[in-house]
Structures are given as structure tokens and as C-alpha cells.
Amino acid sequence: HPRGLGGAAGGSPTRWARASAARGNVAEGAVRGMSALQLRAPQSLGEALSELAASVLAHGRPARVHAGLTGLGGDVEVLGALFAAPFGLAPDAVAVGSDIEIAYLDIFAPGEGYVVYAGTGSVGAFIDAAGALHRAGGRGVVLDDGGGGFWIAREALRHVWRAEDESPGSWRESPLAAALFAHIGGSDWSHSRDFIYGGDRGEMGRLALAVAQAASADPVAREILSAAGRELARLAIALARRHGPRPVALTGRAAQLHPLIAESMRAALAPGTVLDLRPSLGHHAAARLALQAATREA
């Protein structure tokens, strides 16, 4: 029976699923995060792909692969060849697309609604009835990605260190600062500096968990989470202005950090807009696409 492998690679773990014509999704797992931006550091990307292949090949070799990556530019053919090599496949057996595209297809049929994804970063997406992908946001954590985990963590650390500028030691009275510093490993600026500038963006995004943990005791944490919801609503509003009103699905791990995020987003959307909080299983959609291609080929 043909087998297809789907992968969804963002700022955090790369998730994969293997689909079989006989049994549906028969295996899935997660390995280290990767992105198309790692083409600038090919050794790092090669190591991540080797780890992915080792995890997958323990369950058998796929006939085709469909990979959804964040940071995708014009390097589709190069990435396809890199993905194919550790699986022993020809480059044309690998299809490479964006991570948001496969996340959309797991939730909506083309033309049906808008997906707002909040993980380490954030992006809004709409695939129209003709299959064209339209995006809002998703330009990276340095420039924007408002409402994502990295953005939430950055806003929280910015608040804490500005307060320290004005009143050194004030962090001891802040549940938010205490939660952040416990996660980082210390209250000295050197700890924050090393964490922010020495780690990867996924690690920074996971610091948003500390913001959510502090929300019950800290009004600043609650306001940051509410602001994240408004940032995510902006993406859906931008798509609706361009393509008309449609239902909205909010997905991604950062979207589930705290109920305030979805509540604030709902309040900021146009009256009557349907908003659902949905899990994101883009790797399943990618596996189905790979299986369809393998079945056609067979």
C-alpha cells in the first residue's frame, strides 16, 4: 500500500505523520524544530532532517513526502532535494509548501474561512476557491508576529526591565517578573540577556507559558494576554477587508495559553463573526496530501 509522510515545521517541534492507504494515519511523532530560514545554516538543517528521517524510517519508508515549513521563500527545489536525501527518495517525490497552508487545509476547505495561527509567531491565512493562498502578517518575530508566543514573552520582559530602570528591585513585588525569572533561571540582567539573545526563537516563545501562569495574580500579565488577542484579531480583520466576511478559526499552541486570548480576540472582531478555537494538525493534512500523490503515482 502507498505511504505518505507529512511534516509541519515551525519555530517549535517539527511534527510528522505517516498515512497509509490501508490504515489512515499509522504513526506520528515530533523532532527538533526547523525552518526554511535554516538554509543559511545547512549543517543545522541537515542534522534536523537526519533526526526526522531516523524517527520516520523506524516505521517504514514513505513513497512521497509533503512538508510545510515556516520561513519559506523561493528555495522550494533546494529544500525538496534536502528533504529527499535522508529518505532515499528522488527530489520530485517531495513537495514543499508553507506551514500555514497545511494548517489551513486541516481546518477549512478552500474558500470556507480564515485561519489565524498563533505559535511562536503569528499569521492569518485564507485559501480561496481557486487554491491561491492569501496571507496577513507572518513576517517574523523581529518585525511583528503580534500575538504569538515570542511577542507575548517580549512584551512581558520589556515591561519588567523598564520597571527595573525606574525602580531597581521592583520585580520582587511582581508575580509576572517572578514567573519569568523562574523560567529563565535568575533575576540578573545577564540571565535575561543570555536567554533572549543566546537562545532560539522557539525557546523565547515558550516563555509565554510563564506569562499565562502569572495571569491570575498579575494585571500586567492579563493585559498582555488581552493585547495578544487584539493583535490576532487584526489579522482576521485584514483578511475580511480583502475577501469579505467569513468564519474564523484560531489555532496554534499560543492561542491556548490562556482564555483571555480568545476572549479578547472575539471582542475585537466585527459583530456576528464566528470564531472557533481549533487544534492545529497540519502534519495530518500534509500526510494526506502526500498519500494522495503517492496513490496517483501508484
Side-chain angles (χ1 to χ4, degrees):
H1 296 286
R3 295 170 178 165
L5 171 68
S12 300
T14 296
R15 303 186 185 279
W16 62 266
R18 202 192 70 178
S20 163
R23 295 159 56 196
N25 283 344
V26 295
E28 61 181 297
V31 296
R32 76 173 84 173
M34 65 182 83
S35 82
L37 298 174
Q38 285 178 282
L39 278 173
R40 300 168 191 164
Q43 181 178 348
S44 173
L45 181 57
E47 291 171 357
L49 288 171
S50 295
E51 183 180 332
L52 172 65
S55 180
V56 171
L57 291 173
H59 301 275
R61 191 165 74 94
R64 290 194 65 97
V65 176
H66 191 108
L69 283 87
T70 189
L72 192 64
D75 306 306
V76 171
E77 291 184 6
V78 175
L79 285 164
L82 287 172
F83 263 85
F87 292 101
L89 297 173
D92 62 4
V94 178
V96 177
S98 73
D99 57 335
I100 187 58
E101 185 173 13
I102 58 173
Y104 184 99
L105 292 172
D106 186 60
I107 294 173
F108 287 130
E112 191 176 355
Y114 302 125
V115 168
V116 174
Y117 180 87
T120 301
S122 65
V123 64
F126 172 57
I127 297 179
D128 65 26
L133 173 64
H134 306 271
R135 299 162 60 104
R139 296 186 175 89
V141 297
V142 174
L143 183 63
D144 196 344
D145 277 11
F150 189 107
W151 183 93
I152 291 169
R154 186 182 63 207
E155 291 295 300
L157 284 170
R158 177 184 290 145
H159 171 85
V160 167
W161 283 111
R162 285 186 172 190
E164 285 298 294
D165 286 339
E166 296 168 9
S167 178
S170 61
W171 74 266
R172 292 182 177 86
E173 308 301 320
S174 165
L176 174 61
L180 292 170
F181 291 156
H183 186 106
I184 289 170
S187 60
D188 291 339
W189 165 240
S190 61
H191 290 99
S192 291
R193 181 192 62 213
D194 292 347
F195 184 86
I196 297 164
Y197 300 110
D200 60 35
R201 65 194 189 101
E203 186 177 8
M204 179 73 168
R206 287 187 286 277
L207 184 59
L209 290 165
V211 183
Q213 289 163 4
S216 62
D218 196 302
V220 173
R222 290 195 295 275
E223 175 50 33
I224 290 170
L225 295 169
S226 294
R230 293 191 292 273
E231 290 287 331
L232 297 173
R234 188 192 70 82
L235 299 173
I237 292 166
L239 289 168
R241 283 178 179 164
R242 287 153 53 188
H243 304 286
R246 281 179 172 81
V248 178
L250 174 62
T251 190
R253 287 181 298 281
Q256 302 174 46
L257 283 171
H258 195 278
L260 276 172
I261 295 175
E263 290 172 12
S264 173
M265 181 178 178
R266 182 173 281 110
L269 292 172
T273 302
V274 174
L275 174 66
D276 288 323
L277 190 60
R278 297 279 296 273
S280 180
L281 299 173
H283 55 307
H284 286 191
R288 291 194 295 270
L289 290 169
L291 178 60
Q292 289 167 10
T295 302
R296 286 195 302 269
E297 196 170 53

